[in-house]
Amino acid sequence: MSLLRRMVLLMVGLVLLPVSAYAQATLAGVVKDPSGAVLPGVTVEASSPALIEKTRSAITDGSGQFQIVDLRPGTYGVTFTLTGFSTVKREGLEVSGSGVITVNADLKVGNVSETVNVTSEAPVVEVQSTKRQAVIENKTINELPVARGYGAILAAVPTLQGAGASSSSSVNPSFFTAHGGPGNEGTVQLDGLNVGAAFNGGGVSGNAYDVANAQEMQISISGNLGDAETGGPILNLVPQTGGNRFKGSFFGTSAGSWAQGNNVDDALKAQGVQEAAGLIKLWDISGAVGGPIKRDKLWFFANVRDFGNHTQVPGLYANKYAGDASHWDYAPDLNVLGRTATSKTVTSVRLTSQLTPRNKVSFYYDYQWDCDQGGMNKSDGCRPRGDNWVPGTVFGAPFSPEANTNYWDAREIISQATWSSPVTNKLLLEAGYATFVSHWGWMKQPGALTNLVQMTTVVPTFEVYRGVDNMIDNTQNPNTWRASATYVTGAHNLKVGYRGAYHVEQTTDLSNDAGYILTDLGFLVPGMYSATMRIAPWQQSNRTEYHAIYAQDQWTHNRLTLQGALRYDRAWSWFPAEHNGAPQAGVWNKAPITFGEAKGVTGYNDITPRGGLAYDVFGNGKTSFKVNVGKYLQSANNQENYTVSNPALDGRNGRRGPNFQTTASRTFIDFNGNHVPDCNMLLNAPNGECVAADLGNFANPNASTIVNPAVLSGWGVRPYDWQYGVSVQQEVAPRTSLEVGWARRDFRNFFVYDNVNIGPNDFTATTITAPSSGKLPNGGGYPTTYDLLNGNAVNRPIQNRFTFAGDYGDWTNHWNGVDITVNSRLRQGLTLQIGSSTGRAIVDNCAVVAKVPEMLNPALTNPSPFTSNIYQPAGSCRKEESWQTQVRGFAAYTMPKADVLISGIFRFQPNSMFGVGATPEGNSTGLSANYVAPTGQTVNLLPPGQVFADRINQIDMRFGKIINFGNKRANIAVDVLNLFNANTGTAFQQNYGDGSQYLNPTAILNPRFVRFNVTVDF
């Protein structure tokens, strides 16, 4: 069936299926008479300018309870009406988030025309939901001292992990997680639909999501019910939709080198840090407007934005000999600086239409043009180089500008359509579809030096220069959809739902013209080089699809609310014949290399239960006790098991495998000094200048990973985790709550690569004594045992088998921790959210490692040059992390009468570098000490998860003056990022060497930075 036909049938199905809604806020409560008896039959109406339909209503049931679901953020009035009783109207109720807001009422007998007006406020304690979430409203988003991207804000949300360590003046994609989960687990949604990538978890992407114009950010941390696939945090951006009044805003900020301080002190200079990343210029200009095309019928909201950042890379200069084929050496041209440069131009529009009193539709289109880095000549590309600067890379000074590319000159498009219909006061139907089309990569720059062979030197300094090589040109198209029905009575909130996704990923790897790069090994043997060959162009194409249905119910009886959900997921993957392999003949392949269509996961089936309870302890809505438990799955997209059997999988650039080895490194001695391996490089034997049989399985079509078929299908095979939580939330002051909670995650279903050409008998337990050094624990000098591969097995080709870890033994992985969070929204204009999270992970896979010792050195199962050839301690199969605590938060306060804004973000956290993959992170692996042992192998002297650098303590502030004139409002503000100019290292030299450079910082916190902002609302 064609994709178009499937999409048409799908959209028809979305309209017809009565399945569950994506949750917005719910108003719920009990209506009683003066005697305390419950009142059935009361009409409850919620009205707000946020609703294009103006009003939503419900009727209390026999227990006097009511619920009004799916309310957009905004200010509401709630009216309670019953014949023979006075009408009660509660005004000014602020509705936000996706939880349950309790609004009770007491009606007294009276004149029908009598109305009692009550000023209302939203409760700060949630007594009818077990979900843990943080909500940041649009006003607060735009008051905080951050770049206008989601990552900078998430870095201030308590309990979350990842999202970067350093205050940033630019908008960058950010991976995030919580409670020790995988680094790629956090998910970004727009109006309840995933808009992340088609691969690597599918949670985030390089798209500049429109955070500044979100009505609010809803961050679900734990306790999600049936509509959540994974157990990680979910950021849902609730968009603005316009309204019956024209409103708009303008924002502008700009800065240059004058805005940045210097935090490099003498101590850092002594460790080799001579300068911090230097800001050259930044800008961010945007305008947004919304309003009616036809009142009460058709609204619009549109946004235009252009932003960018140019930063000098410390120590990076143009290569004086770039483009000169006669030079195999490197010399910096101190007159031409290297810089990173990024920019995006964004245009978006959303239309919302009330087609009929019972049917509302919304359409959204977002177009972004990306220009990252620039061309290597002065005339071509989205950003030609300058006379005194060249585009650098994110890899830093060791990578000469002509040798690497992070060039990106392409577009990204998000399109979305949603429909909702409150059929009756009790039944709500909803459906939605989103697609994300992205062309991205490290593309070939205009003027790229592909005609020269890239050179890498290791001694005396590490430097990559002369020509470009690793270019990637990729496309992706994730498609997601949902449909829902919600049936509500006063005591019950029943949902039945469906979600699905179809993820398309295509990659193309390109190389230089010669098909190989060189590494100078002359420090070992004079004239020795390694020539790394690579088949290119090389393409890979993956498809993953999943469908899920679920049912859930929430039942409230007196002070107790019970929640439960059951979800069924089915996921599968495949690999089309097109765009897999080498599309053309190349240096190392005399003909195209093709593969037929292949199956990946043939069918994962899972049933996952989730549930919990919330108890209003004293019945006054000020103290709640909550318990939640649930089983959640690893994301179904183009990652991990879903791609493991792609016959074109090559193990490069973070991919798994290899199933087809596209790279090999030939060692040769350049006797004639021409820097060319004068030998038959495809002959796997010493010949000519080639001195070893080191091709491995290069270009061998019969060396694919042996995949155990049982790992690709079945019930309960997919990786998952169980989550448990217990918390108490208390109103400790008016509009202020304190929540203390315990959380645990148990991760299950692990898989291993077993290189069947080596076994436990090919390893020897070897004790190595660490050198004496004050930089090592307890001054060094301690013994550590490693399982090192015997010499007679080193050159055996890799032949992997991919199977269950349980085939070899037990593997446990769990995280425990305690979270403390304070939320406050005072009438005086103060918004505060601050919290701590303390926890640790314990991982034990020693029974598996005993039979698959190559797990402790990834190079023994993946020959890619991107894979580190480092042995971990034998005892690291059991990782007991040290307890780590982080404190994060933000505050914003507008001084009454003076209209002066003061806001801040504060982070006091472990110095942890989180990964971006599917492996549970815990508190991260900590620091390493990679040491070349007397045996010749490189070993890590440190146990994982135990040794960390100095903690990161950082405060960012904003000071602003609000000026009101007519119906307009201006905020003129200055941001001071890294207020105290902290200079803590964030990345370090972890190769031990002789110890003199070990743990020297290779990156530090960005220095103090000042930025002026102007915001005008009209």
Side-chain angles (χ1 to χ4, degrees):
M1 183 183 297
S2 71
L3 176 61
L4 178 62
R5 185 181 177 191
R6 285 193 295 176
M7 291 295 102
V8 170
L9 291 176
L10 173 65
M11 294 307 294
V12 171
L14 291 180
V15 175
L16 297 178
L17 279 172
V19 279
S20 155
Y22 178 77
Q24 292 288 349
T26 296
L27 289 184
V30 179
V31 184
K32 299 180 180 180
D33 67 14
S35 70
V38 298
L39 288 175
V42 177
T43 299
V44 185
E45 293 185 332
S47 59
S48 172
L51 298 175
I52 193 170
E53 64 267 42
K54 296 184 178 180
T55 301
R56 300 279 298 279
S57 63
I59 298 176
T60 58
D61 64 6
S63 64
Q65 298 183 79
F66 73 93
Q67 296 189 60
I68 305 176
V69 300
D70 194 48
L71 296 178
R72 297 190 64 82
T75 303
Y76 282 74
V78 184
T79 304
F80 301 84
T81 306
L82 180 64
T83 302
F85 290 81
S86 299
T87 297
V88 172
K89 189 170 184 178
R90 304 190 67 169
E91 298 283 7
L93 183 68
E94 294 293 334
V95 171
S96 65
S98 59
V100 179
I101 299 173
T102 302
V103 183
N104 298 321
D106 294 323
L107 303 188
K108 62 181 180 180
V109 178
N111 192 306
V112 175
S113 63
E114 180 184 1
T115 300
V116 179
N117 292 311
V118 180
T119 301
S120 194
E121 60 183 40
V124 295
V125 174
E126 200 166 274
V127 296
Q128 291 190 20
S129 175
T130 63
K131 178 189 290 186
R132 291 200 59 214
Q133 67 171 340
V135 179
I136 308 176
E137 298 174 353
N138 177 265
K139 179 176 179 291
T140 304
I141 292 171
N142 289 292
E143 288 178 342
L144 294 177
V146 295
R148 292 154 69 90
Y150 73 93
I153 297 175
L154 292 183
V157 175
T159 303
L160 294 185
Q161 298 171 294
S166 189
S167 299
S168 176
S169 59
S170 60
V171 177
N172 300 306
S174 298
F175 290 85
F176 60 101
T177 186
H179 296 155
N184 70 359
E185 186 180 47
T187 299
V188 176
Q189 295 183 343
L190 179 63
D191 209 13
L193 287 160
N194 288 17
V195 285
F199 60 97
N200 192 35
V204 304
S205 74
N207 190 270
Y209 305 113
D210 190 10
V211 172
N213 290 307
Q215 188 73 18
E216 66 182 18
M217 297 173 62
Q218 301 171 351
I219 304 105
S220 300
I221 297 170
S222 62
N224 290 304
L225 290 175
D227 57 355
E229 178 189 19
T230 72
I234 299 171
L235 164 62
N236 181 43
L237 299 173
V238 180
Q240 295 193 53
T241 58
N244 278 329
R245 291 194 303 128
F246 286 101
K247 293 182 179 180
S249 65
F250 166 83
F251 173 82
T253 186
S254 180
S257 58
W258 55 267
Q260 181 174 283
N262 181 13
N263 62 349
V264 178
D265 56 20
D266 291 340
L268 285 172
K269 290 180 180 178
Q271 296 180 79
V273 180
Q274 299 303 313
E275 56 183 331
L279 177 69
I280 298 169
K281 64 177 179 179
L282 73 79
W283 70 96
D284 191 343
I285 301 173
S286 65
V289 64
I293 297 176
K294 185 176 182 180
R295 289 179 61 83
D296 300 328
K297 288 293 185 181
L298 181 61
W299 293 351
F300 80 95
F301 188 87
N303 175 56
V304 177
R305 181 185 185 191
D306 187 81
F307 66 95
N309 185 301
H310 291 206
T311 302
Q312 181 181 336
V313 180
L316 180 63
Y317 303 93
N319 182 1
K320 185 181 297 185
Y321 305 130
D324 187 343
S326 67
H327 273 275
W328 290 87
D329 53 343
Y330 166 83
D333 185 344
L334 302 182
N335 295 315
V336 182
L337 303 177
R339 68 170 66 171
T340 59
T342 64
S343 65
K344 288 179 185 283
T345 301
V346 183
T347 303
S348 65
V349 63
R350 179 177 292 274
L351 299 175
T352 302
S353 176
Q354 190 73 31
L355 295 177
T356 71
R358 296 286 185 183
N359 288 278
K360 179 174 67 176
V361 295
S362 178
F363 298 95
Y364 177 74
Y365 183 82
D366 181 292
Y367 183 93
Q368 302 188 8
W369 191 269
D370 300 270
C371 178
D372 282 8
Q373 314 319 335
M376 294 305 295
N377 59 35
K378 300 178 183 180
S379 58
D380 299 315
C382 65
R383 183 179 294 110
R385 61 161 289 182
D387 292 327
N388 62 349
W389 69 272
V390 288
T393 76
V394 297
F395 302 116
F399 294 84
S400 186
E402 82 281 3
N404 280 271
T405 174
N406 293 147
Y407 185 62
W408 185 10
D409 180 10
R411 51 75 186 122
E412 294 188 313
I413 300 171
I414 292 178
S415 304
Q416 186 182 74
T418 61
W419 164 76
S420 64
S421 176
V423 179
T424 68
N425 291 338
K426 295 183 177 182
L427 178 63
L428 171 70
L429 302 182
E430 189 176 43
Y433 171 80
T435 181
F436 175 35
V437 179
S438 172
H439 179 198
W440 68 281
W442 298 338
M443 300 172 181
K444 182 178 178 180
Q445 306 149 294
L449 298 179
T450 59
N451 60 316
L452 299 181
V453 173
Q454 185 182 95
M455 173 67 79
T456 299
T457 59
V458 179
V459 175
T461 58
F462 179 80
E463 191 74 40
V464 181
Y465 59 95
R466 199 170 183 271
V468 70
D469 182 62
N470 189 35
M471 295 164 285
I472 56 179
D473 196 328
N474 302 338
T475 60
Q476 59 170 325
N477 179 207
N479 302 270
T480 59
W481 51 85
R482 60 174 169 84
S484 62
T486 304
Y487 187 78
V488 179
T489 66
H492 283 272
N493 185 334
L494 174 66
K495 299 182 180 181
V496 182
Y498 162 65
R499 281 183 177 266
Y502 174 55
H503 297 295
V504 177
E505 179 199 19
Q506 296 188 158
T507 68
T508 299
D509 288 12
L510 305 171
S511 72
N512 61 27
D513 300 344
Y516 67 90
I517 59 176
L518 296 180
T519 300
D520 187 350
L521 303 178
F523 63 95
L524 297 175
V525 176
M528 179 179 284
Y529 293 86
S530 174
T532 299
M533 315 153 55
R534 183 156 63 88
I535 298 173
W538 188 258
Q539 298 178 330
Q540 292 168 80
S541 185
N542 303 304
R543 306 286 188 273
T544 298
E545 189 168 348
Y546 84 84
H547 299 277
I549 57 174
Y550 64 92
Q552 64 186 49
D553 189 24
Q554 175 181 298
W555 175 60
T556 300
H557 180 68
N558 295 327
R559 291 182 283 167
L560 177 66
T561 298
L562 298 176
Q563 296 178 328
L566 198 64
R567 174 175 170 130
Y568 166 73
D569 282 78
R570 178 171 175 82
W572 64 96
S573 63
W574 72 97
F575 321 108
E578 301 80 15
H579 208 93
N580 268 311
Q584 63 194 50
V587 177
W588 311 115
N589 56 300
K590 300 306 179 184
I593 299 173
T594 60
F595 304 94
E597 180 174 313
K599 293 182 178 180
V601 170
T602 55
Y604 281 158
N605 297 284
D606 292 272
I607 293 179
T608 52
R610 298 98 186 258
L613 65 86
Y615 185 66
D616 186 353
V617 178
F618 301 109
N620 58 6
K622 295 186 176 182
T623 307
S624 67
F625 172 76
K626 306 174 187 179
V627 177
N628 69 275
V629 60
K631 180 182 179 182
Y632 301 89
L633 300 170
Q634 184 188 78
S635 175
N637 72 353
N638 295 305
Q639 66 166 345
E640 301 295 308
N641 293 18
Y642 299 96
T643 63
V644 70
S645 56
N646 185 337
L649 196 66
D650 63 354
R652 297 187 70 253
N653 289 325
R655 298 183 287 261
R656 307 197 79 176
N659 291 333
F660 191 96
Q661 186 178 325
T662 61
T663 62
S665 294
R666 299 302 310 265
T667 303
F668 73 98
I669 297 179
D670 189 21
F671 294 112
N672 58 14
N674 66 352
H675 296 90
V676 174
D678 293 315
C679 61
N680 181 353
M681 295 182 70
L682 293 176
L683 177 62
N684 193 24
N687 72 96
E689 292 182 341
C690 292
V691 298
D694 44 15
L695 271 180
N697 283 318
F698 180 71
N700 182 357
N702 301 314
S704 293
T705 299
I706 304 167
V707 179
N708 179 356
V711 308
L712 299 178
S713 65
W715 288 85
V717 175
R718 189 170 164 184
Y720 65 91
D721 72 288
W722 278 98
Q723 296 190 15
Y724 311 89
V726 178
S727 66
V728 175
Q729 189 178 20
Q730 173 69 46
E731 181 177 325
V732 294
R735 301 174 67 93
T736 301
S737 69
L738 167 68
E739 184 170 15
V740 179
W742 166 82
R744 178 184 174 94
R745 299 185 72 175
D746 280 318
F747 298 94
R748 310 283 179 87
N749 280 12
F750 299 95
F751 302 87
V752 297
Y753 279 97
D754 178 6
N755 183 352
V756 298
N757 284 342
I758 56 177
N761 293 333
D762 293 309
F763 291 80
T764 300
T766 305
T767 299
I768 295 172
T769 301
S772 298
S773 171
K775 299 178 181 180
L776 295 175
N778 302 315
Y782 50 84
T784 303
T785 299
Y786 302 86
D787 291 325
L788 303 182
L789 187 64
N790 297 334
N792 61 0
V794 167
N795 290 324
R796 294 178 189 171
I798 293 173
Q799 178 61 69
N800 288 325
R801 179 174 185 264
F802 183 77
T803 188
F804 299 100
D807 291 348
Y808 304 96
D810 293 333
W811 186 327
T812 60
N813 184 332
H814 64 266
W815 186 95
N816 284 279
V818 175
D819 302 326
I820 302 174
T821 306
V822 174
N823 282 284
S824 184
R825 295 175 57 195
L826 302 183
R827 287 197 187 98
Q828 292 81 2
L830 173 67
T831 299
L832 170 69
Q833 187 174 119
I834 184 172
S836 68
S837 181
T838 300
R840 72 164 182 172
I842 297 179
V843 182
D844 191 327
N845 54 20
C846 292
V848 182
V849 169
K851 297 179 180 179
V852 192
E854 58 266 33
M855 287 175 56
L856 298 183
N857 183 345
L860 300 181
T861 56
N862 186 350
S864 167
F866 293 94
T867 305
S868 60
N869 189 0
I870 300 170
Y871 288 88
Q872 301 299 319
S876 66
C877 59
R878 179 174 175 83
K879 180 177 78 169
E880 293 191 32
E881 294 181 341
S882 57
W883 291 92
Q884 297 288 329
T885 297
Q886 68 170 9
V887 178
R888 292 181 171 189
F890 59 85
Y893 176 63
T894 301
M895 298 173 60
K897 298 182 180 179
D899 281 339
V900 172
L901 168 67
I902 303 174
S903 66
I905 283 178
F906 27 91
R907 288 174 287 170
F908 313 106
Q909 61 191 46
N911 202 332
S912 305
M913 182 59 68
F914 284 86
V916 296
T919 302
E921 289 285 331
N923 292 328
S924 93
T925 56
L927 292 171
S928 298
N930 302 321
Y931 172 69
V932 179
T935 58
Q937 293 100 330
T938 301
V939 301
N940 180 12
L941 297 172
L942 300 182
Q946 292 291 327
V947 182
F948 296 87
D950 293 340
R951 292 177 61 86
I952 292 174
N953 303 314
Q954 193 166 204
I955 297 176
D956 304 329
M957 297 293 296
R958 171 173 291 184
F959 305 92
K961 170 62 179 173
I962 299 170
I963 302 173
N964 295 293
F965 48 101
N967 61 351
K968 302 176 180 64
R969 180 177 185 267
N971 185 345
I972 302 172
V974 58
D975 294 347
V976 184
L977 307 185
N978 191 3
L979 179 66
F980 297 109
N981 208 31
N983 62 0
T984 310
T986 57
F988 302 87
Q989 172 58 259
Q990 297 186 66
N991 293 323
Y992 187 83
D994 61 5
S996 61
Q997 306 296 314
Y998 176 60
L999 290 188
N1000 283 358
T1002 57
I1004 63 175
L1005 290 174
N1006 293 333
R1008 182 189 294 121
F1009 170 78
V1010 177
R1011 175 178 56 206
F1012 291 95
N1013 312 302
V1014 176
T1015 305
V1016 179
D1017 298 314
F1018 56 89

